[in-house]
Amino acid sequence: MTIPWWRDAVVYEIYVRSFADASGDGVGDLAGIRERLPYLRDLGVDAVWLTPFYPSPMADGGYDVADYRGVDPLFGSLADFEALVADAHELGLRVLVDIVPNHSSSQHPWFQAALRGERRERYIFRDRTNNWQSTFGGPAWTQVADGQWYLHLFAPGQPDFNWREPEVHEEFLDILRFWLDRGVDGFRIDVAMGLYKAEDLPDLPAVDEQAFGAARSPVWGQPEVHEVYRSWRKLLDGYPGERMAVGEVWTDDPEDLARYVRPDELHQSFNFAWLQAPWSATAFRKVIDDTLATVPFATWVLSNHDVVRHRTRYETADPGTGLSRAKAALLAMLALPGSAYLYQGEELGLPEVKNLPPEARQDPVFFQSEGKLPGRDGCRVPLPWEASGPSHGFSPGGTRPWLPQPEEFGALSVQAQTGDPASTLEFYRAALACRREVVEDVPHAIEWLDSHEDALVFRRGSLVCALNCGTDAVRLPPHESVLLASGPLAGDALPPDTAAWLQAPPA
Ligand code: GLC
């Protein structure tokens, strides 16, 4: 059996608004990405995932799609997209695009027609509401002029589709074909456990039972959703070139997750349990064991555009801990079997930007929670490419980026870190290069080695990976040589918050 490209791929998430701006309006765009593709090739990733760039009123940063077959002028044109795909392929990078099937924008022609009273069955309209809450805060229902209410599990500008309506299925198959015909290598499926709601939309006994993605909820993960992915899989399999799909599946149950990646469904789904695990060897080991026991093609992810950056999540009262742990977690993740998803800026060690002024914030989470929750803007601050300048090289000329960058971004910029062997960026480059050389040749299965309870030590053939999550140094396991470490080693000791890749001694 040949191994499909995505099984061990390292995929880099590009949050399009914040990666690179070529047009000079302060917002990232497709031409900006195109200019920076060589950076990604040199970083050593295999593929990019582009967040939505479709025409959108931007009620949720583009996850409110008004036209599934176009490019918003803010981001460029269809010709820019085609040029981007061609260049990426030329450089050996695959391209995944985001598909948003749970809801459209309220500006989508179908919803506009529904407001006029035409074909309302394509959305979820009712005369009466239930007690469901929007994931972003506030009720999940909004009333229209004639008195009916429509369901939106996210912002009011994101009405949920009614997947019990066959036309919705036809439409999405056609949208997938549209992008497949333009050469995309696959899709990231937004809110993949959404789509269907329990038929009678029952009230929840307690509102917290709706917890985003909870298994066994009338809101998420209805069994009918799997038929959708079966039909999408057939479509993808009918195209040449190993096209794939990865689902955004939030669930608290590994068995539930596994159902999305049955052989005739999605190829992969994000493993959020890894991202949600606390800094603990026991917790990490449990996630790894559960994942490898239930999911045929594992994935690993530490950050994305919806969560606090992991450098900041791992921070303690002791400054510097967050970055050390972030680098160590990366080494552990890249040594595991399966594919790894990176989020733009983690290779620079960017922290969450916590002090954005309220007037700069744009995330609907901030507004719908009436400012009680900061929202997700702090992980979406435009990337610093250069050490100085009004946008740190994000935009040309004197343009200011759409979210303000903090002072410290200068020292964390690509320019400031390139060539400095002690930098996070050079560490990522080295780790990805070493993964290509070593990790891809070792057996897929892992073998746990005896270790201190605060450490994680596993072996894959000639590679041994050791991670120390404790507060004291632990002894490195027996090895021939050290291939790479996330921080300085003290002789044979692995300091706290550090990981190492070792060449195993001959058997
Ligand atoms: C997904 C996206 C998130 C978006 C939500 C609604 O969780 O990753 O950014 O707000 O779906 O589309």
Side-chain angles (χ1 to χ4, degrees):
M1 197 187 91
T2 60
I3 295 168
W5 71 269
W6 42 265
R7 192 192 73 170
D8 306 296
V10 176
V11 184
Y12 182 98
E13 176 187 359
I14 295 183
Y15 189 69
V16 177
R17 299 159 86 201
S18 304
F19 185 71
D21 167 27
S23 71
D25 61 0
V27 179
D29 47 40
L30 299 181
I33 298 169
R34 211 177 145 201
E35 285 171 7
R36 303 289 185 178
L37 286 173
Y39 165 79
L40 296 173
R41 190 238 359 239
D42 296 344
L43 180 62
V45 301
D46 301 298
V48 295
W49 145 32
L50 307 179
T51 58
F53 47 78
Y54 315 111
S56 164
M58 303 289 155
D60 181 20
Y63 281 95
D64 48 321
V65 180
D67 171 5
Y68 287 86
R69 297 177 185 79
V71 174
D72 196 289
L74 192 60
F75 302 127
S77 64
L78 208 46
D80 290 327
F81 178 78
E82 287 173 351
L84 167 57
V85 173
D87 283 8
H89 286 168
E90 188 72 27
L91 293 171
L93 296 167
R94 311 262 184 167
V95 180
L96 311 183
V97 298
D98 218 310
I99 213 81
V100 188
N102 182 69
H103 46 263
S104 70
S105 159
S106 54
Q107 296 304 313
H108 190 283
W110 282 13
F111 193 76
Q112 288 297 306
L115 289 180
R116 297 191 300 269
E118 296 157 27
R119 308 245 334 103
R120 274 200 180 166
E121 60 277 23
R122 295 188 290 210
Y123 294 91
I124 302 177
F125 277 86
R126 292 289 186 274
D127 293 331
R128 249 175 284 124
T129 66
N130 64 12
N131 69 352
W132 296 4
Q133 297 289 300
S134 155
T135 309
F136 293 163
W141 296 91
T142 292
Q143 198 165 28
V144 300
D146 60 21
Q148 277 211 314
W149 303 78
Y150 67 89
L151 179 73
H152 52 85
L153 294 179
F154 296 92
Q158 293 171 297
D160 281 52
F161 281 115
N162 173 21
W163 275 85
R164 300 186 186 278
E165 177 57 34
E167 196 184 352
V168 176
H169 291 251
E170 291 313 312
E171 177 66 3
F172 271 91
L173 284 169
D174 196 65
I175 292 164
L176 296 180
R177 274 185 221 109
F178 180 90
W179 294 105
L180 288 167
D181 291 340
R182 272 154 195 81
V184 306
D185 298 285
F187 300 98
R188 177 265 186 187
I189 302 164
D190 191 61
V191 198
M193 74 297 177
L195 281 59
Y196 282 87
K197 286 83 195 169
E199 186 122 41
D200 49 348
L201 307 179
D203 267 330
L204 293 159
V207 167
D208 59 6
E209 288 187 22
Q210 181 185 327
F212 188 36
R216 299 166 303 279
S217 144
V219 186
W220 311 107
Q222 302 306 299
E224 295 92 328
V225 78
H226 296 285
E227 267 319 306
V228 176
Y229 301 133
R230 291 198 180 98
S231 70
W232 291 15
R233 179 62 178 255
K234 278 200 197 99
L235 179 74
L236 290 165
D237 285 350
Y239 275 80
E242 301 182 321
R243 315 291 175 106
M244 60 82 72
V246 53
E248 186 205 16
V249 181
W250 292 91
T251 173
D252 43 16
D253 174 3
E255 298 282 345
D256 185 37
L257 189 68
R259 283 194 276 275
Y260 290 82
V261 290
R262 287 177 285 200
D264 59 344
E265 296 196 40
L266 303 178
H267 301 74
Q268 292 179 334
S269 95
F270 293 126
N271 187 1
F272 293 121
W274 178 248
L275 168 162
Q276 289 167 318
W279 185 255
S280 138
T282 318
F284 284 141
R285 183 195 278 257
K286 175 163 170 35
V287 174
I288 295 169
D289 281 338
D290 284 350
T291 303
L292 299 179
T294 48
V295 174
F297 296 108
T299 68
W300 310 97
V301 59
L302 289 165
S303 276
N304 65 33
H305 67 283
D306 292 325
V307 300
V308 171
R309 283 187 177 275
H310 61 280
R311 171 182 178 169
T312 303
R313 291 202 314 271
Y314 291 148
E315 202 62 79
T316 64
D318 189 3
T321 308
L323 185 58
S324 305
R325 291 180 174 184
K327 291 164 75 178
L330 177 86
L331 271 199
M333 159 161 122
L334 292 181
L336 287 167
S339 90
Y341 282 78
L342 309 182
Y343 177 50
Q344 68 179 35
E346 68 170 81
E347 78 277 21
L348 305 176
L350 295 188
E352 184 81 0
V353 180
K354 287 186 167 166
N355 57 355
L356 289 168
E359 62 279 8
R361 293 203 179 261
Q362 298 205 8
D363 185 4
V365 171
F366 177 70
F367 299 105
Q368 285 181 231
S369 71
E370 289 161 350
K372 285 192 207 72
L373 299 174
R376 303 161 294 179
D377 292 316
C379 65
R380 300 174 175 180
V381 175
L383 289 194
W385 294 94
E386 289 166 15
S388 58
S391 66
H392 291 294
F394 173 73
S395 294
T399 311
R400 299 264 168 195
W402 69 278
L403 281 173
Q405 298 156 314
E407 267 310 303
E408 63 181 317
F409 267 31
L412 294 172
S413 64
V414 173
Q415 184 184 46
Q417 295 196 45
T418 296
D420 172 2
S423 72
T424 309
L425 178 57
E426 294 299 351
F427 167 71
Y428 264 71
R429 288 175 173 152
L432 291 166
C434 190
R435 174 173 158 110
R436 284 205 171 173
E437 246 175 67
V438 182
V439 181
E440 287 179 12
D441 289 334
V442 299
H444 203 63
I446 73 165
E447 186 193 330
W448 291 112
L449 301 184
D450 284 344
S451 67
H452 185 281
E453 61 175 357
D454 288 334
L456 213 61
V457 183
F458 59 87
R459 176 184 176 134
R460 288 176 66 192
S462 60
L463 175 77
V464 173
C465 175
L467 165 69
N468 183 0
C469 298
T471 47
D472 298 316
V474 297
R475 251 186 107 74
L476 282 175
H479 57 277
E480 281 273 288
S481 59
V482 175
L483 297 169
L484 192 66
S486 66
L489 300 178
D492 245 8
L494 181 65
D497 303 327
T498 308
W501 286 354
L502 310 166
Q503 171 82 39

